[in-house]
Each structure stands twice: as structure tokens, then as C-alpha cells.
Amino acid sequence: MRGRSKQTQDFWAIRNVSLSIPRGSVYGIIGHNGSGKSTLLKLMTGIYRPTEGAITTDGRVAALIELGAGFHPDMTGRENIRLNGSILGLSRGEIEHSMDTIIDFAGLRDFIDDPVKHYSSGMYVRLGFSVAVHMRPDVLLIDEVLAVGDEEFQRKCFDHLYTLRREGRTIVVVSHGLGQLEGLCDEVAWLDHGEVQSVGGATDTISAYLTRVNAEETMAGAVAAAERGDDTARAGNGAVRCMSARLIDAEGQPLQHAETGRTLGFEVQMTCYERILGPNLRFALQHESGQLVTMMSNHRYGFDFGHIEGEKTVTALLTDNPLLPGRYRVHIDIFDHTGSVLIDNWDDAVEFTVRSARGEIGQGFVELPYTYSIT
Amino acid sequence: MLPMGRMGFTPEGSVWPIEARGRDSDRPRLTRVIADLYRQRALVWAFANRDFATRYRSSILGWAWSLLQPLATLLVYAAVFSLVFRIQAPPLGADPERTSFAAFLFTGMVTFNLFSGLLMLSMTQLRSNGELLRKVHFPAWTPILGASIVQLVQVALEVIVLIAMFLWLGNIGISWLLAIPILLGTALFGQGVGLMLAVLNARFGDVQYIVQVVLQALYFLTPILYPLALVESTASWLAWIVKANPLTWFVETMHQVMYSLVFPQWWVVPGLVLLGAVVFWAGFTIFNRTSEDIGELL
């Protein structure tokens, strides 16, 4: 499949792209924003025409580019199913035939005769998804619409996609959800500035893409670190103040992001204004979802700083970083040796991203050490 | 089953490549236009249903408004032009002793509104369906014709009122039957011009305002508010412009068959239908030629 599109001022959104997507396969397209993924999909649907080259499609194509794009707010769900079905190319008979399946799949039996303007946004997209996937396409094109509705509906969507796949229908997915793609796709093409960077098995292509993204981010180099100084009003008695904090690797070099399985350190520079005995410095790790992942504490670990004064640097090393990919925040606080007097507190000290060198995105927050056996 | 335009999706799964732009070798033949219209009838109908369902959904009087508006205009114009300007309508066909300015005026209004209504509606449809046309690939003229069907229902209501007026006046004749092909020609004419300008208006929004002004001028350059004889007797150069206006041909023929109950010369009505058909065919062809990148244009 080859498509080239020309836009104004001779900007080529897609050029020299030649792909062939086998019938019955699930094909992923990845790339950074503006790499031409969506343009390629719109070329496949026929919304755009190629300036040069041609696209050959065998069978009926349905596109999930924007769910519920054709819905009229004043019409009921049922009327909208009819209209949307007609626009997507279904005959009257086919629409009436799948009407009940569409309504039940969307889970909107009770509201189907209400105007869709009274629907929640979730109900709206559920109906749109349901109409599109039930038009029995030979080729289904999906653009970033996999994250639809609640957990239950999402699972239903994926189940349905797997069913379509088993039926030998071809699915082309454009997504930034690399974890989802790795599980779903047979093959993945990586587009970069409108050209194909690589094509191949899902895992290999996604890994190659991630490696590039990670490398580019390192080059661009915003280091995961923060300065605080002493001037901010904050909780604690102020005997010790955290001045700065940063993420480091096993060699003590500053890091831009962490990687699952690679040792990671948290380093804090602090100033002691008085001589102080055995404080407890804690790092709380919070996932972006708000969940506290763990609390690291030198008292819990059984490590006593002893008497400290002046400038000190404390490092906590997380060996073979078990954190799974995601965004995390570090909160820092210091208590005295009794654990009852707060000395210093620094919320949201450092924020950092954990990536995976391999494509996969695990479930949950951490990878715990485990072994399997079978008898 | 609806094959989706250029991509040629058929249930059997035949392979038609999407060609690069500028390679469309298909000749715009009348048979192809008719085949296209027939193939997409379900989609046109779906859009018509949408517009039917939503046109007056939030108003209480609903469809009554679509009649009240032209009737109010009729009342005002009839009062001003017959009472203030003392314009005399020609004698009624059934009774040369009597005249009815209101019936004369409404005959012209219905015909002109059929043309202008379809033209204005067709021109704005691409914009009002822009969201959809950017996201889904389907023939862009289907929502236009769908909206026109709804407009035709409104015109049918006006025609019923017109017939009621003439029945009340006792002005009935066999020549009425010719109104059907004349109105068909008018509709095709308005639809054709609308299709020609639709893509231009999608690109430059000014077009619809220009057309609005032109239509207003045309309204007065068509013998709707005055008989053609009146302008002929006063200013000859003006009469020339009025006679050159194609809408005058449609409106005058309607006056003949509905009001004066006279049969026009044999070639007039077929000529009007042919004119309408040719303009529609040209409009449809121009539209298909220019609307291929409408998804990018909107």
C-alpha cells in the first residue's frame, strides 16, 4: 500500500511509503506526532487522495477515525445508528439486522430512544464504536480510539477486535499505546517524518522505536532533578533543609529517565543548621495514578546516619529498578530520631518517567522477583 | 449495498485502486450521473430523514412555520404593491372580468422560492456537514440532495396552498398539468446552480453572501411583483434585462398555465425541462470534479 499526500507549500505529509498489509493480519502504525500516521490512514479510507502513487484495497473498508462523527444531537440513538450506518455504507436491511447487536454492545438499551445530546461523552463514543465495528468491514482502520469508555467496555472492544481478527478481517491500528499494540499486532510499521523507518514484527519495531525515543530524550536532556534552596516557607522545624534532589544511575551520573531493571538512585543534598542525631530521611514514591508505591526509609532499613552536621548528601539506590513504565513522583521528608518531630518536608521533589528498553508495558507498578515451577 | 464512491468497495471485494489526483479519465456522461444518483439513493434518503427529523424539532408549530413565512411575505407584498403602488394583475384565465393580485404574486413567489431555496440550501450544506466530510469518506453531494428533498416537501406545501387559492377563485384549467414539468425544470435549474457553487462556497465563504445579494436583485428583475407587460410598456432596456433573465422564463410560463390558463407554445415547456436538466448535469459534473478533495478543503 503506497500513499503520498501533498499539502500546501510543498510539505509532504507522507512520501515514498510502500507497505503491503496482508489480509487477516493486525497491522500497527507507530511514530511521533506529525509523522504522517493519521494521514496514511485517511489516505486508506479515501478521505484524502494521494498526490502520487496509489492505494489498493481489497474489500470494504471501515474507519474508526472519530467516533460518532456523524451523530446529530437532536436525533435519538436509534435514528443516529441508521444515519451513521448509511454513511458508513450499510444498506437499510443490514442496519436493521444488526440494530439490536449494536445497541446491546454499546450497553445503551435503556437510552436508545433518547436524543444523543442527553448522552454522556462515554455513552456517545460507545455508540460510535459499536456502529463502526458492527458494519462487518473487511478492513478496519482504527485511529487512537482504543481507549474508549470504562474498563469493562475497553475489554469488550478488545475482545471484539480479537474476534474480528479470528474471522480473518484485516485491522490497521494507529496508536501511541505501544503496550496495547505489542499485544494486538502481527506487524508494525514505524513512520518518521512521512517515511517508513522500519517495518517488521511488532516487538522488534516497537523496541527500535523506543530506543530511538529514549535516545532522543537523552539528547534533549532535561535531567530529572530539582533545586529547592532554603527560602521557601515549609513545614518542619528547619534544623535540616533539603536543598536539591536528583535521579542518578549506578555510577552516580544524573539521569533523564529511569528504566525498568536498571539500577536507579535518588540523591538528596541537605544542609544541617545544627548538629543532629540519627534523623530518618524518607522517600515516598507515588505513581501518577495517585497510588503510593513504596516508602523508603533509612530507619526501616536499619541504617543510622549517626551524628550529622554541615552539608550532607544522602543516596538511596534502588537495585535493578523494579518500577514498571509510567510517571512517578518522589516526596521527601525528614523526621528526628524518635520519628515524632518533623524536620523538613518536600512534596513533589522530583518527577520522573520509567521506560522499558523492551516494548512491553507491564500491568501494575512493580515487577517483583518471582520464579515459576510446574510439577 | 452501497459501494463507497471512488474506492469501489463491493461485497465481492473487487480491487479498484485509488488513483492519484488528476487522472480521472471518466467522461461525465448523463448515464453515469443517473447511475450515481441511483446507487446512492439510500444515503440521500438517510440525510433527508435526518433533516426532516431535525428541521423543526425544537419548535412547537413545526411545519406550520414553513408556510407562515411565505404567506406573511405574500400578505405584505400584496398589500404594498396592489394597494399602494396600484399594480394591476392581468385578467384571470377563467374570468377575464376579474383579477387577483395575490394569486398572481403567489404563483411567481412559489416558483422563484423553489429556485432560490434549493440554491441557497445546496450552497451551505458542505459547510454544515463539514465535520462529517472531514472524517468519513462518502459522496459529498448526498447531504446536499438530502436537504433538497426536505426543501421540496416545503415547496409542495406551498403549491397546495396555491392550488387552494385558485380553487377558491374558481380559476381551474387543464393547463395546470404543465405546472409539474415547469416546476421540475425550475428545481433542476436551482439544484444545478447550487451544486456548481457549493464547492466554491466551501472554499470562499463570501460566495453565499454575494449570491444572496444577486438573488435579491433577481427577485425584482423577474415579473413576480408586476406583470411583464407593465415593464415592457415603461422602459425598454429594463424589459430587455427582465426577458433575458432565465427565471422570467420559468415564472412567466407558470403564470400562463396556472393564472391565465393558457397553453404556451409547444416547445416552451420541454425547453425549460431541458434547460433545467442540462444545468443540473453540468452542476453535478462540476461538483464531482471539484469536490474530490473536500475532506482536505473544509
Side-chain angles (χ1 to χ4, degrees), chain A residues 46-81:
Chain A
I47 297 172
Y48 295 169
R49 285 189 304 158
T51 314
E52 293 170 2
I55 298 165
T56 310
T57 321
D58 186 2
R60 178 154 74 184
V61 177
L64 275 69
I65 286 182
E66 188 124 332
L67 296 172
F71 286 173
H72 193 290
D74 282 331
M75 298 204 304
T76 68
R78 195 185 296 276
E79 288 169 331
N80 270 308
I81 292 176

Side-chain angles (χ1 to χ4, degrees), chain A residues 111-229:
Chain A
F111 306 99
I112 202 63
D113 292 311
D114 292 337
V116 295
K117 66 181 169 192
H118 297 147
Y119 283 18
S120 71
S121 54
M123 290 156 81
Y124 203 85
V125 289
R126 261 154 53 199
L127 191 60
F129 188 91
S130 188
V131 173
V133 296
H134 283 96
M135 62 171 294
R136 320 248 97 209
D138 298 305
V139 183
L140 182 65
L141 309 176
I142 304 174
D143 190 0
E144 293 292 355
V145 287
L146 290 173
V148 166
D150 53 20
E151 195 67 36
E152 190 196 343
F153 188 73
Q154 274 194 36
R155 206 170 307 145
K156 234 159 114 181
C157 292
F158 272 95
D159 284 350
H160 195 83
L161 291 183
Y162 280 110
T163 311
L164 289 176
R165 186 175 133 164
R166 268 198 304 280
E167 290 172 2
R169 297 171 198 279
T170 313
I171 303 174
V172 183
V173 194
V174 163
S175 179
H176 290 289
L178 300 175
Q180 287 180 336
L181 284 186
E182 195 177 7
L184 193 67
C185 296
D186 304 310
E187 260 187 276
V188 171
W190 163 20
L191 288 186
D192 188 51
H193 294 100
E195 300 196 12
V196 177
Q197 195 60 229
S198 81
V199 187
T203 316
D204 293 344
T205 314
I206 290 174
S207 301
Y209 173 64
L210 275 176
T211 310
R212 163 81 73 87
V213 170
N214 292 352
E216 272 173 8
E217 195 172 78
T218 310
M219 297 272 288
V223 176
E227 293 289 329
R228 194 164 196 218

Side-chain angles (χ1 to χ4, degrees), chain A residues 42 47-48, chain B residues 129-136 294-296 298:
Chain A
K42 285 194 164 178
I47 297 172
Y48 295 169
Chain B
N129 287 284
E131 180 71 7
L132 202 52
L133 287 162
R134 271 200 306 275
K135 307 280 161 59
V136 192
I294 198 76
E296 285 177 83
L298 283 163

Side-chain angles (χ1 to χ4, degrees), chain B:
Chain B
M1 189 51 249
L2 303 170
M4 297 277 281
R6 190 172 57 244
M7 292 205 59
F9 308 138
T10 62
E12 302 82 40
S14 71
V15 183
W16 297 354
I18 304 176
E19 290 291 332
R21 58 190 77 184
R23 288 203 205 153
D24 196 358
S25 59
D26 291 324
R27 287 274 162 73
R29 284 195 306 269
L30 194 61
T31 47
R32 217 165 69 86
V33 173
I34 292 166
D36 269 1
L37 288 173
Y38 183 74
R39 212 169 42 204
Q40 301 295 352
R41 65 195 185 285
L43 187 52
V44 171
W45 193 242
F47 279 115
N49 270 329
R50 177 193 66 180
D51 294 349
F52 266 121
T54 55
R55 193 167 209 190
Y56 292 105
R57 185 159 274 191
S58 54
S59 69
I60 298 164
L61 287 180
W63 281 93
W65 286 118
S66 65
L67 273 184
L68 281 174
Q69 204 250 333
L71 286 178
T73 316
L74 172 69
L75 200 69
V76 172
Y77 279 173
V80 171
F81 283 85
S82 75
L83 300 179
V84 181
F85 293 117
R86 304 216 167 268
I87 292 176
Q88 284 291 314
L92 278 166
D95 181 5
E97 303 291 300
R98 284 190 300 146
T99 64
S100 167
F101 187 75
F104 177 82
L105 175 54
F106 201 52
T107 308
M109 269 177 65
V110 167
T111 316
F112 191 90
N113 287 350
L114 171 59
F115 171 81
S116 64
L118 286 181
L119 169 55
M120 288 308 292
L121 201 63
S122 301
M123 236 174 19
T124 49
Q125 277 305 302
L126 288 183
R127 281 174 176 266
S128 42
N129 287 284
E131 180 71 7
L132 202 52
L133 287 162
R134 271 200 306 275
K135 307 280 161 59
V136 192
H137 178 63
F138 62 95
W141 50 264
T142 50
I144 296 182
L145 293 197
S148 295
I149 288 177
V150 179
Q151 183 66 21
L152 288 179
V153 171
Q154 141 124 40
V155 172
L157 292 176
E158 288 174 20
V159 170
I160 288 169
V161 172
L162 182 69
I163 288 172
M165 269 169 97
F166 280 121
L167 286 177
W168 185 70
L169 288 168
N171 191 56
I172 307 157
I174 192 78
S175 60
W176 276 15
L177 289 176
L178 286 178
I180 297 168
I182 299 168
L183 290 177
L184 175 73
T186 315
L188 288 171
F189 188 50
Q191 187 64 71
V193 178
L195 285 170
M196 280 177 205
L197 297 174
V199 177
L200 198 62
N201 187 55
R203 203 185 282 257
F204 311 104
D206 315 71
V207 174
Q208 70 188 80
Y209 301 104
I210 297 169
V211 169
Q212 224 159 9
V213 173
V214 171
L215 277 177
Q216 220 155 26
L218 274 183
Y219 194 82
F220 290 96
L221 290 173
T222 307
I224 298 167
L225 293 161
Y226 50 85
L228 186 59
L230 189 68
V231 78
E232 273 175 328
S233 63
T234 48
S236 63
W237 59 271
L238 196 61
W240 215 87
I241 298 174
V242 172
K243 280 181 177 168
N245 171 9
L247 283 166
T248 302
W249 311 340
F250 289 99
V251 166
E252 265 308 287
T253 318
M254 273 297 278
H255 279 152
Q256 285 177 8
V257 304
M258 291 299 290
Y259 186 90
S260 310
L261 305 178
V262 173
F263 282 91
Q265 278 171 294
W266 68 268
W267 48 268
V268 172
V269 175
L272 291 177
V273 175
L274 187 68
L275 172 63
V278 167
V279 170
F280 178 78
W281 167 75
F284 193 83
T285 307
I286 291 173
F287 184 88
N288 274 343
R289 279 284 170 86
T290 51
S291 69
E292 295 195 307
D293 299 310
I294 198 76
E296 285 177 83
L297 205 70
L298 283 163

Side-chain angles (χ1 to χ4, degrees), chain A residues 204-280:
Chain A
D204 293 344
T205 314
I206 290 174
S207 301
Y209 173 64
L210 275 176
T211 310
R212 163 81 73 87
V213 170
N214 292 352
E216 272 173 8
E217 195 172 78
T218 310
M219 297 272 288
V223 176
E227 293 289 329
R228 194 164 196 218
D230 193 24
D231 50 334
T232 357
R234 48 181 154 173
N237 68 14
V240 181
R241 287 298 191 217
C242 297
M243 308 305 273
S244 69
R246 61 180 187 165
L247 233 61
I248 54 166
D249 63 10
E251 283 78 45
Q253 296 305 307
L255 281 180
Q256 283 88 21
H257 65 268
E259 216 170 84
T260 307
R262 227 175 97 193
T263 300
L264 160 75
F266 303 99
E267 188 188 85
V268 178
Q269 305 264 349
M270 55 189 194
T271 305
C272 310
Y273 295 100
E274 45 195 84
R275 193 176 143 85
I276 186 164
L277 173 68
N280 187 17

